[in-house]
Amino acid sequence: MKKSIPQIFREGIITNNPTFVQLLGMCPTLATTTSVVNALGMGIAVIAVLSFSNLFISLLRKIIPKQVRIASYIVIISGFVTAVELIIKAYFPAINKALGLFIPLIVVNCIILARAEAFASKHGPVESFCDGLATGIGFTLALVCIAFVRELLGSGMLFAAADGSGGVRIFGDWFSPATIFLMPSGAFLTLGCLVALVQKIQAVSEEHKRRKQLEEDAIDGGYHETLMRDPATGRIVRKPVPAEEQPADSEAVKAGEGGE
């Protein structure tokens, strides 16, 4: 099914976020979010690889035999990963040292392979490039959110360099950093809390949309129905309104009067 560009970006960044919704790419998510700078470096690398690999896979999707498509995808992805790795080594050695093995491991990142197989192999070049860009941005935003919490609570600073130097101190001397947030256990704790928060926000948003739609349907139906919360499921449902309880000026009553 063809998707519009705004829909692709909305899904990739918000409703189908690869980290907070799909829970993909957990290894780099947990390992590279000790600082915002490291998270940005990893996120930008993934954006570049994901966007251009999606583009090339889409261009070649009718040429690549189905029997070797996964191997072909890995070859294309590894080419872009190598290019990105060489650029980072040449111009950003501190980030390259901090991220270490996780840059070349982008080749087998499940987010990259998932978008190649699920989207780029079935859609045109423009849509595939936008999907890669949107998914990469969603992944980067998730990394930055996690890194923001971990670095702020773990060190009381933000935007420290990849080698640990510099940074902006947010709290004064009164603040005692919770170094657990800079440890692997702190990464799991932060990720779990943010995933729960995102899921709650999405549930509230969906319930609000559903309630609004039910209210519109009830109004269009001439006050035949009202809204109530189902005690068993907790969801908002429609309940028929007895005829004697309907307003005298409702469309249903008027229709009845006209018939008589």
Side-chain angles (χ1 to χ4, degrees):
M1 184 178 66
K2 189 175 179 61
K3 296 182 179 180
S4 64
I5 301 301
Q7 183 182 3
I8 291 174
F9 274 91
R10 184 172 61 253
E11 290 184 357
I13 297 174
I14 302 173
T15 60
N16 207 25
N17 186 279
T19 301
F20 291 145
V21 178
Q22 299 185 68
L23 300 179
L24 297 176
M26 290 294 100
C27 287
T29 298
L30 297 172
T32 64
T33 53
T34 53
S35 72
V36 174
V37 173
N38 289 349
L40 279 173
M42 185 67 190
I44 292 172
V46 170
I47 288 175
V49 172
L50 188 53
S51 301
F52 287 102
S53 62
N54 262 21
L55 174 63
F56 272 72
I57 289 171
S58 176
L59 290 171
L60 299 174
R61 68 187 189 281
K62 296 182 179 179
I63 301 175
I64 298 175
K66 292 184 178 180
Q67 295 81 355
V68 295
R69 67 184 188 282
I70 300 299
S72 301
Y73 297 164
I74 292 177
V75 170
I76 294 172
I77 294 167
S78 63
F80 287 107
V81 170
T82 302
V84 168
E85 184 182 12
L86 293 175
I87 291 173
I88 292 176
K89 283 184 176 180
Y91 296 102
F92 308 99
I95 292 180
N96 177 70
K97 184 178 180 181
L99 297 180
L101 189 62
F102 288 98
I103 294 296
L105 282 178
I106 293 176
V107 174
V108 290
N109 191 314
C110 51
I111 298 175
I112 313 288
L113 292 173
R115 298 322 297 169
E117 175 68 12
F119 196 95
S121 62
K122 300 178 177 65
H123 295 81
V126 175
E127 292 88 352
S128 298
F129 181 83
C130 291
D131 177 77
L133 183 61
T135 304
I137 292 174
F139 178 68
T140 303
L141 290 176
L143 290 184
V144 170
C145 289
I146 297 170
F148 181 90
V149 175
R150 293 184 66 191
E151 186 177 14
L152 181 63
L153 299 180
S155 65
M157 301 178 64
L158 286 175
F159 308 111
D163 57 3
S165 62
V168 179
R169 180 166 294 280
I170 305 301
F171 301 120
D173 296 335
W174 58 268
F175 179 74
S176 179
T179 54
I180 187 175
F181 283 97
L182 299 179
M183 300 170 63
S185 54
F188 279 102
L189 179 63
T190 305
L191 176 64
C193 291
L194 289 178
V195 168
L197 178 62
V198 170
Q199 295 294 328
K200 179 62 177 179
I201 292 173
Q202 287 193 344
V204 171
S205 177
E206 291 175 2
E207 184 71 10
H208 176 73
K209 292 179 181 178
R210 185 169 179 274
R211 183 186 181 92
K212 185 177 180 180
Q213 183 62 48
L214 290 173
E215 288 175 346
E216 292 175 355
D217 293 344
I219 292 174
D220 294 339
Y223 298 99
H224 275 280
E225 298 170 324
T226 187
L227 302 181
M228 63 171 292
R229 187 173 297 275
D230 187 348
T233 63
R235 295 173 62 86
I236 301 297
V237 296
R238 286 181 288 190
K239 177 185 176 183
V241 177
E244 61 272 11
E245 295 181 10
Q246 294 184 18
D249 58 346
S250 69
E251 295 296 328
V253 173
K254 289 181 179 179
E257 293 175 352
E260 293 177 356

